[in-house]
Amino acid sequence: MTLATFPADEPKPSWTRYFSFNTDAKVIGIQYIVLAFFFFLIGGLLAMIIRGELITPEADLVDRTVYNGIYTMHGTVMLFLFIFPVLNGLNNLLIPTMIGAPDMAFPRLNAVAFWLVAIFGVLLMASFFVPGGPAYSGWWSYPPVSIQNPLGHLFSGQGMWLTAVALSGLSSIMGAVNFVTTIIRMRAPGMGFFRMPVFCWTALAAQSLQLIGLPSLTGGAIMLLFDLVAGTTFYDPAGGGDPVLYQHFFWFYSHPAVYVIILPVFGIFSELFPVYSRKPLFGYVYVALASFIIVGLGLIVWVHHMFPSGVAQWMRNLFMFTTMLIAVPTGVKVFAWLGTLWRGKIRLTTPMLFCLGGLFNFVFAGITGVMLATVPIDLHVSNTYFVVGHFHYVIYGAAVMGIFAAIYHWFPKFIGRMPYEGLGKLHFLLTFIGANLNFLPMHPAGLMGMPRRVSSYDPEFAFWNVLASLGAFLLGVSIIPFLLNMISAWVRGPKAPHNPWNAIGLEWLLPSPPAEDNFGEHVPVVISRPYGYGLGKPLVENQEAIEQVLTAADLQEASR
Amino acid sequence: MTTAYSAPSAPQEHGGEHDKHNLTGFIIFLCSESVIFLAFFSGYALLKTSALDWLPAGVEGLEWHMPLINSIVLVSSSGTIYLAERAKAKGSLWGFRGFWLLTMALGAYFLYGQAIEWSGLDFGFTSGTFGGTFYLLTGFHGLHVATGVGLMTLMLIKSFIPGNYEGGEQGVQATSLFWHFVDVIWIILFLLIYVWQRS
């Protein structure tokens, strides 16, 4: 018989560990998330400038060339420095605790992957200050625009952009190898794949996509860098090259990248709906497997980004078909969540509100997604604000709201304090209204023909743009209650018990915050499927004994 | 404050487990790495089949005799590294070192042959997409060969640390896997660049 102590009798770790090369996955997770939100503010500021420019039809706020740099950097920062890092942060916090592992499989590699993000973040920010300004060719960096270097400097904004994206790729591959190895090899005894929480399924699916897709972008970017600095002509028609080749490389990764973003959010929805409906996840096996069907299909849809790029008609038809097919596994998930909610005891806490809002936005984005997959519609609205509206619904409306839900849900676990419900609900209300007010008017403007990436436009689009800009400013305001909530809860929020939401899962059988090595040597044996809400079946062996110890520790902590 | 409870789980083994993570992680990485080559190969094929003038002016094609010898050298090094691993499995550390060193020598000879070939060519990196893809593919592969030789050097040095190679050692396995990978890539590359000359 072995004994474990809760909480460990260790001195309280110093806050300086968040600024050091720490190999604890929980520290790295928080490092990722905090750094990501720092860049979220920068990317958001750039968005405010864009919407400020577009509130009037004339180009009056910033110079046109500066505007090109601003939207390029907005997209780059939000994707590579906000959303991927914040998701990797959640992976770091949740994967080891959910599967009962003491840490990631490769803790040092994990830390290197994090610090690479910080390094390329600085590099990308530095590109604002080089002669010629930052990259201005959009976040796709299509040649021939992206292989121009008019000033001839070695440190051009575009060159720095490519270096930063290459470093981001390196960091993501390190992360993906680590997450996949951890999930495959370090699960708790008794936790077969079909007893694994759906978040781990979706993380496994998303990270597999990274491993398959990302090298294609890396290869394409290496060739682009040579075209830019060494004078090769891979993408330059003047030397026999083909600019469309880059589009293939780029979208072979960057379309699956959308699934890399949204799959973990599906995981978050699948974790949270059962908790706040007090019902098992409807169709657990199908929800889990649908993730991998999305992976398989997600790899063969990339040409739908290139319908206007002069690809053959048979390719258009084929990729239209595969793209529409993706709605099937996604629909399976949506109906599974609805089935979970159906006649459940729904609790409208902040995380639940964000999940419901995110699901609403996701369904809307899915509908416009199927519209965009249709070749004739795509040719009509390609490069218009309709597309911008569509992917902002996916990425802000669904993914970012899902991430907020996850943060409110697991904050007590990893910080050990409770966030404030009132501020959280205010944050939700502002985010939901702001996001819809911002992104919905982009659809009619796009259908009417307003092109994206312009700083001045025909006055007939003015009405929709004013609405969108007001929505954007509301989103800007919405971040204030969030930051207030996070900071004040972290500093002086009420102490969190080990399981404030009455959730089922290995991570809720740990004290809040967990010890550095989680369960250490005393990993519980999993004896049933996750999400056994209302079934009365224990998740692990000796669950009652573990709960008793944790509750006693909670009481002792509260009486201090 | 201390509270205790009885933990039910069976005692877990941690020592040997971790090494297996390394091999798993390395295999996952190799799968991912192969996609970069796949991207380069498909880019090469696309550019080649769609080119109007594939060969730059004054270039007749690629001489394939010396690269063929080079290929034979590299492919046979896959055999010697297998023999090295077998020797190690049988417990003959000196046999392992001998075959390992032979593999390194063959790898180094391959790089030498590549350098000789490069220096004798009358086209450069910027000679259209033909020159660009040729140097990109052979250069990127050469970088992997050099990395492989570097890894082997590391493993050879580690073999002299007493007790290092008694069971559970995954570095040798990973290096050998990497070497076979580099080898297979070369065979595809040789077929694509030297055998498939006419566009």
Side-chain angles (χ1 to χ4, degrees), chain A residues 177-221:
Chain A
V177 167
N178 215 341
F179 294 130
V180 172
T181 312
T182 308
I183 293 175
I184 290 179
R185 299 203 51 97
M186 295 175 74
R187 297 190 311 279
M191 186 185 271
F193 276 107
F194 286 98
R195 280 183 188 167
M196 200 163 70
V198 172
F199 183 82
C200 297
W201 272 95
T202 54
L204 188 63
Q207 299 302 321
S208 312
L209 267 180
Q210 290 274 45
L211 289 166
I212 302 169
L214 197 51
S216 157
L217 176 63
T218 311

Side-chain angles (χ1 to χ4, degrees), chain A residues 58-107:
Chain A
E58 298 82 28
D60 40 15
L61 186 65
V62 287
D63 199 59
R64 278 166 202 268
T65 50
V66 175
Y67 184 78
N68 291 345
I70 286 174
Y71 70 68
T72 301
M73 293 304 274
H74 165 71
T76 311
V77 167
M78 284 305 199
L79 285 168
F80 294 107
L81 284 167
F82 169 61
I83 208 141
F84 287 132
V86 82
L87 289 171
N88 272 355
L90 289 175
N91 283 341
N92 262 300
L93 293 178
L94 296 177
I95 291 173
T97 48
M98 278 182 164
I99 64 173
D103 203 323
M104 300 287 289
F106 310 111

Side-chain angles (χ1 to χ4, degrees), chain A residues 220-288:
Chain A
I222 290 171
M223 289 161 75
L224 193 67
L225 195 63
F226 280 132
D227 272 9
L228 185 70
V229 299
T232 54
T233 56
F234 296 119
Y235 304 129
D236 186 359
D242 184 2
V244 177
L245 178 62
Y246 174 81
Q247 300 186 12
H248 281 291
F249 286 148
F250 182 80
W251 289 116
F252 183 76
Y253 169 62
S254 296
H255 189 77
V258 181
Y259 300 110
V260 175
I261 294 167
I262 204 72
L263 275 169
V265 176
F266 290 170
I268 293 165
F269 289 166
S270 308
E271 295 294 325
L272 266 58
F273 282 136
V275 179
Y276 299 108
S277 317
R278 312 311 299 165
K279 275 180 64 196
L281 180 66
F282 186 85
Y284 162 78
V285 174
Y286 301 98
V287 173

Side-chain angles (χ1 to χ4, degrees), chain A residues 18 24-30 92-93 97 102 414 514-518:
Chain A
Y18 292 113
D24 177 8
K26 287 182 290 301
V27 173
I28 294 175
I30 290 167
N92 262 300
L93 293 178
T97 48
F414 293 101
E516 191 180 326
D517 57 353
N518 299 338

